[in-house]
């Protein structure tokens, strides 16, 4: 009830004031137009000055819109009215007015031990009823400066020769935005410049057409003017492509040898089997076999000897003839032997 009564009297007095003096007075708030920046952990002053011709019912209010929240959605963090200071929200213990009594034109505030979450838009608003004219508020953009947080390195632990590998590096914190760089740790060779694409803003490194010499440990450093942090990553370039060819060749040779052996074995076995068949057949039909050493049936051995002796005597008879007989005999002897 009391507040409504104050409001009504304020409104009435303002109407009276306007009626009497026209638009001659107003509240004029000035704040820095450039963003205010401060390092995390330090204290920051957010300046806000105002001019007004009336100092009755003075009301000061500070609001905060975190990050990129619109100023219209800002939450009240401090206000001063009827000579009493009120502080609200998570920043209240770190928040103070620069002047104990912000009535003499300085409504600046101070924030101690600045945190990353303090970044955003601060709105300073002065109301001095019945002085409702003019821009009674000002916006301050506050940036919290901080070194990059420890980045996270990501990428394949192994990759085949000839392929591409993408390594990423990212710090979740860091204002201004960190710049990323990559280096080789365990090699005298610097990064293969002709085979790489680096984006310093995103931290992405692409290694193209990997060769075995690309194996090793890579380090990413995220840095800004407030500090730097790093992470490491090991990549093992595997010779799968070449090893594959070699393995293929070896397997091919082994297969060829096996195939040849199989063919040779097959023919050897077949020959053996044929020989065995032949033998079998031979033992079955052995009756028909011509035995040259055996005497023909029905002819006594003696008669054969007789025939031999007859031929001998014939030869003797021939040899008894002079001249060509000796040669004939030796020929015949050869034939018989
Ligand atoms: C990839 O690298 C090898 C040597 O490491 C080279 O012979 C080949 O031409 C390269 N291929 C491409 C597509 O650059």
């Amino acid at each position: 009830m009391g507040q409504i009564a104050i409001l009504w009297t304020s409104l009435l007095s303002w109407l009276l004031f306007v009626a009497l003096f026209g638009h001659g007075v107003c509240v004029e708030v000035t704040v820095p137009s450039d963003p205010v920046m401060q390092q995390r952990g330090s204290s920051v002053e957010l300046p806000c000055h105002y001019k007004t011709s009336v100092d009755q019912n003075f009301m000061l209010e500070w609001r905060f819109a975190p990050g990129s929240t619109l100023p219209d959605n800002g939450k009240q963090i401090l206000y001063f009215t009827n000579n009493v200071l009120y502080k609200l929200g998570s920043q209240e213990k770190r928040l103070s007015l620069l002047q104990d009594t912000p009535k003499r034109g300085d409504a600046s505030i101070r924030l101690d031990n600045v945190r990353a979450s303090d970044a955003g838009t601060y709105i300073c608003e002065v109301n001095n009823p019945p002085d409702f004219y003019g821009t009674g508020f000002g916006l301050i953009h506050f940036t919290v400066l901080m070194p990059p947080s420890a980045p996270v390195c990501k990428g394949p632990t192994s990759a085949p020769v000839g392929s591409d590998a993408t390594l990423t590096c990212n710090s979740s914190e860091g204002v201004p935005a960190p710049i990323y760089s990559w280096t080789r740790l365990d090699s005298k060779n610097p990064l293969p410049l002709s085979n790489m694409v680096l984006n310093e803003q995103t931290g992405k490194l692409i290694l193209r057409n990997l060769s075995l010499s690309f194996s090793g440990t890579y380090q990413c450093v995220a840095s800004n003017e407030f500090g730097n942090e790093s992470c490491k990553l090991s990549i093992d370039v595997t010779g799968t492509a070449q090893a594959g060819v070699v393995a293929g060749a070896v397997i091919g040779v082994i297969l060829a040898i096996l195939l040849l052996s199989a063919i040779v074995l097959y023919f050897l076995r077949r020959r053996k089997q044929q020989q065995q068949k032949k033998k079998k057949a031979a033992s079955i039909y052995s009756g028909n076999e011509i035995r040259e050493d055996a005497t023909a049936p029905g002819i006594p051995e003696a008669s054969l000897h007789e025939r031999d002796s007859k031929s001998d005597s014939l030869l003797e008879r021939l040899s008894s003839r002079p001249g060509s007989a000796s040669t004939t005999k030796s020929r015949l002897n050869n034939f018989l032997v």
Side-chain angles (χ1 to χ4, degrees):
M1 287 303 277
Q3 277 184 338
I4 290 168
I6 290 168
L7 261 173
W8 272 111
T9 36
S10 301
L11 189 63
L12 283 173
S13 52
W14 174 71
L15 284 170
L16 187 73
F17 186 86
V18 169
L20 288 174
F21 303 102
H23 298 174
V25 285
C26 61
V27 178
E28 202 183 306
V29 170
T30 31
V31 292
S33 52
D34 290 335
V36 173
M37 297 181 187
Q38 187 52 277
Q39 282 190 60
R40 183 168 56 188
S42 310
S43 296
V44 66
E45 285 177 15
L46 301 176
C48 177
H49 294 92
Y50 66 92
K51 274 183 192 157
T52 182
S53 55
V54 184
D55 67 5
Q56 300 237 311
N57 302 316
F58 170 84
M59 252 174 70
L60 165 69
E61 184 180 82
W62 276 91
R63 292 190 302 275
F64 171 51
S68 51
T69 315
L70 287 173
D72 284 349
N73 299 324
K75 296 261 178 355
Q76 212 173 35
I77 54 168
L78 178 148
Y79 69 98
F80 183 92
T81 188
N82 295 325
N83 289 319
V84 184
L85 174 68
Y86 299 88
K87 292 189 276 184
L88 310 98
S90 57
Q91 295 161 314
E92 66 170 311
K93 287 199 175 71
R94 298 181 290 122
L95 195 61
S96 57
L97 278 167
L98 234 59
Q99 306 294 324
D100 287 341
T101 309
K103 280 192 169 182
R104 291 187 198 94
D106 189 354
S108 306
I109 52 168
R110 200 175 85 166
L111 190 59
D112 295 317
N113 190 17
V114 164
R115 299 172 184 171
S117 58
D118 293 332
T121 307
Y122 289 82
I123 304 110
C124 169
E125 186 167 342
V126 174
N127 284 304
N128 201 16
D131 195 350
F132 284 125
Y133 281 94
T135 45
F137 68 93
L139 303 182
I140 303 171
H141 296 286
F142 176 50
T143 302
V144 179
L145 303 169
M146 52 190 153
S149 58
V152 175
C153 286
K154 279 184 188 162
T157 50
S158 72
V161 163
S163 69
D164 296 348
T166 301
L167 316 183
T168 62
C169 178
N170 185 58
S171 287
S172 55
E173 279 180 349
V175 180
I179 293 292
Y180 299 94
S181 65
W182 281 92
T183 47
R184 283 282 292 276
L185 276 189
D186 49 0
S187 173
K188 288 181 199 92
N189 305 332
L191 285 171
L193 289 171
S194 57
N195 283 56
M196 61 169 251
V197 183
L198 170 66
N199 187 326
E200 291 191 326
Q201 273 74 48
T202 63
K204 187 158 114 177
L205 172 72
I206 304 171
L207 297 171
R208 296 207 187 284
N209 190 19
L210 291 172
S211 61
L212 291 172
S213 64
F214 283 36
S215 289
T217 304
Y218 291 76
Q219 184 183 47
C220 167
V221 177
S223 60
N224 64 18
E225 53 255 64
F226 300 102
N228 56 70
E229 288 282 345
S230 66
C231 57
K232 285 177 211 165
L233 181 74
S234 283
I235 185 162
D236 181 27
V237 179
T238 54
T240 39
Q242 282 178 352
V245 169
V246 171
V250 168
I251 289 168
V253 168
I254 290 170
L255 280 177
I257 290 168
L258 283 174
L259 194 68
L260 276 171
S261 314
I263 291 168
V264 168
L265 275 171
Y266 171 76
F267 279 108
L268 281 173
R269 271 187 82 151
R270 224 179 97 164
R271 234 181 79 176
K272 214 175 169 185
Q273 278 175 346
Q274 280 177 341
Q275 279 178 341
Q276 278 175 342
K277 256 188 196 166
K278 250 188 186 171
K279 258 189 183 166
K280 239 182 174 177
S283 59
I284 289 165
Y285 302 108
S286 57
N288 289 347
E289 209 173 9
I290 298 150
R291 289 179 61 191
E292 279 139 39
D293 57 333
T295 40
I299 302 167
E301 263 183 73
S303 63
L304 272 170
H305 287 293
E306 269 178 18
R307 227 195 279 170
D308 277 353
S309 58
K310 270 180 194 166
S311 64
D312 275 345
S313 59
L314 177 71
L315 282 171
E316 270 167 13
R317 261 179 274 146
L318 281 167
S319 64
S320 61
R321 271 204 280 174
S324 62
S326 62
T327 46
T328 316
K329 190 190 174 183
S330 63
R331 263 185 216 158
L332 276 166
N333 275 339
N334 281 346
F335 178 70
L336 286 167
V337 170

